[in-house]
Amino acid sequence: MKICVCVKQIPDPNIEVSKLDPATNRLVRTGVSLVLDPGDEGGVEAALLLQEKHGGEVVAVSMGPQTAQEALRRTLAMGADGAILISDPALAGADSLGTARALAAAIGREQPDLVICATESTDGYTGMVPGGIAQLLGMPALTFAREISIDGDTCTIHRVTPTGYQVVEATLPVVITVASGAYTPRYPSMKGIMASKKKPLSVLSMADLGLNASEVGEAGAKERVVSVSKIEARAAGRVIKDDGAAAVAIADFLDQYKLL
């Protein structure tokens, strides 16, 4: 079984406050500490657990600048067998669809049985790329998985819902998004870190994938961030002191917002 895992290098959410370039409204990625997206680490863990049970190969796939090789090396240290970086200056400014097109082009060459993604990236939070990959590759999409099992050519997941979970299945090949926190990623061992230096990491350009600027990158983007504003400060809460009429006051307050 071959599994492709989509990963992304992002500013470290534990120590960095996201900054936007006022000229482009894009996230500033230079001069900051960059890490493998924590959500993607969960996706890598899910892939490695399936590989340990069913055998096969895990390939991490990313799109980004050359520095993204560091994030891919971490996936190799965790246990992935190979990695692919799509890197090309013309990809700057790619929207969700352009990103999905580039990733799908690289993944399609691998002919995987499974494509695993985080539900959304920690920096962008659009959650649109996995669905785009599935559409472009003609695969079904199983989303918000907290548990994945494979039986023959059938993939079954426990899909997280607000009230519990649903059992959903599809025939391979399939794209799966892993719910946040569903898988605890393993730490790379020293042996894994040393071995990662010898594992294959390919760097592909748009030309390598047969893509052009009219399809991906800023030139092909259908989405644009036209303005950015700070979120409104939260208003102070209302304090109700119990003078004997607190219950009525609370009920009136809840009724005001149609919460009763």
Side-chain angles (χ1 to χ4, degrees), residues 94-116:
D95 62 2
S96 299
L97 178 58
T99 302
R101 280 177 170 153
L103 290 170
I107 292 169
R109 292 158 46 117
E110 299 297 310
Q111 298 186 322
D113 301 290
L114 279 178
V115 180
I116 296 180

Side-chain angles (χ1 to χ4, degrees), residues 7-10 29 34 61-72 84-94 99 102-103 123 201-206 209:
V7 301
K8 186 178 183 181
Q9 186 185 52
I10 64 167
R29 300 179 187 276
L34 300 170
V61 185
S62 185
M63 186 183 97
Q66 292 292 331
T67 57
Q69 291 189 44
E70 298 172 12
L72 287 169
I84 299 169
L85 173 63
I86 309 163
S87 189
D88 194 306
L91 288 168
T99 302
L103 290 170
D123 58 351
L201 194 164
S202 304
V203 180
L204 302 177
S205 66
M206 287 173 51
L209 297 173

Side-chain angles (χ1 to χ4, degrees), residues 92-256:
D95 62 2
S96 299
L97 178 58
T99 302
R101 280 177 170 153
L103 290 170
I107 292 169
R109 292 158 46 117
E110 299 297 310
Q111 298 186 322
D113 301 290
L114 279 178
V115 180
I116 296 180
C117 309
T119 298
E120 57 192 1
S121 64
T122 304
D123 58 351
Y125 288 103
T126 69
M128 298 172 64
V129 172
I133 293 172
Q135 176 71 23
L136 291 164
L137 292 177
M139 296 181 183
L142 302 180
T143 57
F144 296 98
R146 73 175 194 185
E147 185 178 324
I148 306 169
S149 60
I150 305 293
D151 184 6
D153 63 352
T154 300
C155 176
T156 303
I157 71 163
H158 285 190
R159 183 180 190 274
V160 175
T161 71
T163 56
Y165 68 90
Q166 301 169 324
V167 179
V168 186
E169 67 179 34
T171 302
L172 301 177
V174 62
V175 175
I176 298 173
T177 68
V178 174
S180 176
Y183 290 87
T184 302
R186 66 193 68 187
Y187 287 101
S189 64
M190 182 55 68
K191 181 180 179 181
I193 293 172
M194 297 304 294
S196 70
K197 298 177 181 178
K198 298 180 180 179
K199 292 182 178 178
L201 194 164
S202 304
V203 180
L204 302 177
S205 66
M206 287 173 51
D208 293 328
L209 297 173
L211 299 171
N212 59 63
S214 65
E215 299 174 299
V216 297
E218 186 172 20
K222 307 299 182 185
E223 306 166 33
R224 297 187 189 282
V225 180
V226 296
S227 66
V228 179
S229 61
K230 293 184 178 179
I231 60 174
E232 295 182 5
R234 297 182 63 178
R238 177 184 171 190
V239 177
I240 299 176
K241 295 184 178 180
D242 188 8
D243 57 0
V248 174
I250 292 172
D252 289 343
F253 177 82
L254 295 174
D255 186 55
Q256 177 184 352

